[in-house]
Amino acid sequence: MTKARGNLVEGAVTLVIGLGLWLFTGDVEIPVFTLTKVGVVMMCVGGALVAAGLWQGARRRT
């Protein structure tokens, strides 16, 4: 597996997990942090990884 494909897969998985946290954990109360905010952060990180994977894949082809 190339680095670009690895970043794409890892980013997609992180994005989906973050989306699940953001959508389905609104009623869960944890004293330290809220899981919806963790979900938003994970979606941002996953999106950045997907973008990096796409960038690396495009650069490799040229």
Side-chain angles (χ1 to χ4, degrees):
M1 183 181 313
T2 63
K3 187 174 181 179
R5 183 171 291 182
N7 280 343
L8 280 171
V9 170
E10 183 180 352
V13 169
T14 306
L15 187 87
V16 168
I17 291 172
L19 182 65
L21 285 173
W22 181 64
L23 288 175
F24 300 116
T25 60
D27 297 334
V28 178
E29 302 260 343
I30 294 179
V32 179
F33 48 82
T34 59
L35 291 177
T36 54
K37 290 180 183 177
V38 172
V40 170
V41 170
M42 287 182 72
M43 286 190 297
C44 292
V45 170
L49 283 170
V50 168
L54 290 173
W55 177 262
Q56 290 168 349
R59 283 188 53 143
R60 187 168 182 246
R61 289 189 202 134
T62 59

